[in-house]
Amino acid sequence: FCNILVYFGLSANTNVYSSNAYASFFVSGAVEVPACLLSWFLLDRIGRRWLTCIFMLAAGLALILIVPVSNQSLNELVTILALFGKFCIAGSFGVIYIFAAEIFPTPARAAGLGFTGSFGTLGGIAAPFVMLLANYVWGPLPFLIFGVCSVIAGFLVLLLPETTGVPLPETLEEGEMFGKKSYPPSRDIGLQVDLPELDLSCRS
């Protein structure tokens, strides 16, 4: 929810990147390319959990810093912080779906990913309404909300088990054990074939 809320909120608020609408839209999309490449490069090196945590914490801190900076009319610094926030949240956006799919056990993977994706879409629905708070309540309030949500979600990610290099849970029981010391369980993957006894004695 927090990931999609911040991502779509920053994607919709393109006027913070440049006074030109076309340049803002281009820069907002172009910053995602290196973010996706960096997340792809670090995915197996850092791990899903820590990479998501670092990206979301960095995005949240950058967006929170916009609040005191915006009061000083430092437009260039606001643009840099907003672009850095969009860079980080786009990087976490590329990891979060892989991470979520690997956490659920195989019998519940499709349903679990569908449920979390649907619940996350509520963040996308709420994002434009959060942006309207800048017009009716306080200018930097959307960035403060996005930043706080991103920081909270970044810390909550640490409560989830790491999935990098770990056998994925194949049953609901293994899903309950996932992340505990008793995981992974020993699996007998050998094939057992019952063959009928053959009478090899010679018969005349």
Side-chain angles (χ1 to χ4, degrees):
F1 176 85
C2 293
N3 188 279
I4 296 181
L5 171 71
V6 178
Y7 177 82
F8 280 100
L10 294 180
S11 298
N13 189 26
T14 56
N15 59 348
V16 73
Y17 306 120
S18 174
S19 58
N20 187 299
Y22 298 100
S24 296
F25 186 80
F26 174 79
V27 172
S28 176
V31 75
E32 296 187 25
V33 177
C36 292
L37 293 176
L38 182 62
S39 63
W40 169 76
F41 179 76
L42 297 176
L43 194 62
D44 293 330
R45 290 170 172 81
I46 296 180
R48 279 75 159 145
R49 181 176 64 169
W50 277 108
L51 187 59
T52 306
C53 173
I54 292 172
F55 269 137
M56 297 202 72
L57 286 179
L61 292 176
L63 296 176
I64 292 174
L65 286 176
I66 291 179
V67 177
V69 170
S70 61
N71 295 331
Q72 302 176 11
S73 300
L74 299 175
N75 295 331
E76 293 80 7
L77 189 54
V78 171
T79 301
I80 293 173
L81 290 173
L83 284 175
F84 182 75
K86 179 66 184 299
F87 172 87
C88 292
I89 204 65
S92 68
F93 195 87
V95 181
I96 198 76
Y97 278 95
I98 299 174
F99 191 26
E102 293 176 344
I103 286 179
F104 291 105
T106 301
R109 184 163 293 131
L113 190 60
F115 174 78
T116 54
S118 300
F119 191 78
T121 306
L122 297 178
I125 296 173
F129 296 99
V130 175
M131 293 306 306
L132 289 176
L133 296 176
N135 299 330
Y136 296 102
V137 182
W138 184 40
L141 183 58
F143 293 108
L144 181 62
I145 294 175
F146 294 150
V148 170
C149 288
S150 187
V151 169
I152 293 175
F155 281 117
L156 290 178
V157 167
L158 296 178
L159 299 177
L160 300 174
E162 179 59 66
T163 61
T164 305
V166 180
L168 299 184
E170 297 181 359
T171 63
L172 295 177
E173 291 76 13
E174 292 183 4
E176 295 177 356
M177 296 168 54
F178 199 36
K180 299 180 180 179
K181 293 182 179 180
S182 57
Y183 191 88
S186 58
R187 296 171 180 164
D188 185 11
I189 60 174
L191 296 178
Q192 296 181 356
V193 180
D194 294 331
L195 297 176
E197 295 183 1
L198 299 179
D199 186 5
L200 299 180
S201 59
C202 296
R203 296 181 180 178
S204 56

